[in-house]
Amino acid sequence: MSIKTPSNQRGARQSSFVALRHRDFRLLWFGQLVSQAGTQMTIVAISWQLYKLTNNPLSLGLIGLFRIIPLLTFSLGSGVLADAFDRRKLMLFSQTTAMLLAAMLAVTTYLGMATTALIYATILLSSTANTFDLPARQALIPSLVPREHLTNALSLNIIAWQIATIVGPTIAGLLLAWRKDADVVYAIDALSFGAVIVSLLLMRTRHVITEKRNVSLGAALEGLRFVRGTPILFWTMGLDFIATFFAGAMTLLPVFARDILLVDERGLGLLYAAPSAGAVVTGLLMARIGNVRRQGPVILWSVAIYGICTAIFGISTSFVLSCLMLAGIGASDTVSMVIRNTLRQNLTPDELRGRMVSVNQIFFAGGPQLGEIEAGVVARLLGASVSVWTGGVACVLAVLIVALHVPQLRNYQDTPVELEAGGVPS
């Protein structure tokens, strides 16, 4: 008997919002959109408040340090928990913790009791909660939509995040200008977590554990072995790390705005918004297209374009060209991100999804944090322009090396007929 491939897997166009037809995913998506906007507001407010308290740029650099410590400490363990326990309940716990921390910041700021030590402690604890939340959330999504709508769901997730990165900072800036303090921003963020908590409580989907799973170091290492033993997963994660480590231009945008492009704060705001604008447009296109067949070559090309746009941005002295290149960075990163996430979810058994995501978050979160340090050091020694364009060139060279030496990725394409029959691609 022949197996028919669904039309959307053959490349036919589908609704850009088809995944939102599924009730539980729709609940999670809207809840995350509201919550992420609140989180982006707090990111702006914390930076503003710390600089106001210390008048020291180093205090802003320490934010990344306190965010990466929980990631390196708890990431593998968080994946084990996401595979061993109900992912929805883990998210409820992490989201409630984050809500209480935001509320504490709001109260202490209102009372004039917020100190740098308290803010850093809150950043540390919030990052810890997020480290446990992410594997559970990403591993939960495949159970909320059918496989043929997974790419669409992941595209919509990226769109929600990018919308939040535009809306959240804009609202935060207006509130800070009006209030001259961050307490209202933190209070709104605390309330925004309620949207996710309510959506999780209303969900009908449950993560059913059919057999007892160990919570141990061996279980954590099993996730590492799985990723290392699956070249497609390992090298897509590696490419993500390379791109964000070498080609991270965002951390130096204030320098480009003031010293190279000669624009004011409004121009800086447009520079920050440009990648998100490119990402939203591309995310909608990806959601419309659905599954992409030649996934390996598309990933390689998208990361290469990411590096090329970064290099051109680094040498540009035109504000318009710089905005276009930043939009290209956001667009190419979105293509790569959607395909990488779809591929990882499809190649990973459900019982290992949490641990796979926990390994992945070391790559995709560690790359930008370490990349900020690398960009800052090179910019200090050689200048911001050199730091960015050399990083873009290094990213392109890394893609060429991977393309030449990893044929599994260079030649990879999805095999929907086998997957529909229940197989797993090799």
Side-chain angles (χ1 to χ4, degrees), residues 401-423:
I401 293 171
V402 172
L404 289 173
H405 293 281
V406 187
Q408 298 98 323
L409 179 58
R410 184 178 67 243
N411 300 320
Y412 182 81
Q413 61 179 334
D414 196 7
T415 52
V417 174
E418 294 179 15
L419 287 171
E420 194 69 15

Side-chain angles (χ1 to χ4, degrees), residues 122-136:
T122 304
I123 292 171
L124 183 73
L125 294 172
S126 296
S127 180
T128 302
N130 186 65
T131 299
F132 284 93
D133 181 83
L134 184 62

Side-chain angles (χ1 to χ4, degrees), residues 343-410:
L343 189 150
R344 291 166 189 159
Q345 298 287 11
N346 287 337
L347 292 178
T348 306
D350 182 69
E351 63 271 16
L352 284 169
R353 278 205 177 103
R355 280 166 284 181
M356 179 276 294
V357 174
S358 70
V359 174
N360 181 48
Q361 75 173 334
I362 295 176
F363 283 83
F364 86 80
Q369 299 293 347
L370 295 174
E372 288 182 3
I373 299 172
E374 180 269 339
V377 170
V378 177
R380 179 68 181 269
L381 295 175
L382 302 175
S385 180
V386 174
S387 174
V388 172
W389 77 255
T390 55
V393 171
C395 177
V396 174
L397 291 176
V399 172
L400 289 174
I401 293 171
V402 172
L404 289 173
H405 293 281
V406 187
Q408 298 98 323
L409 179 58
R410 184 178 67 243

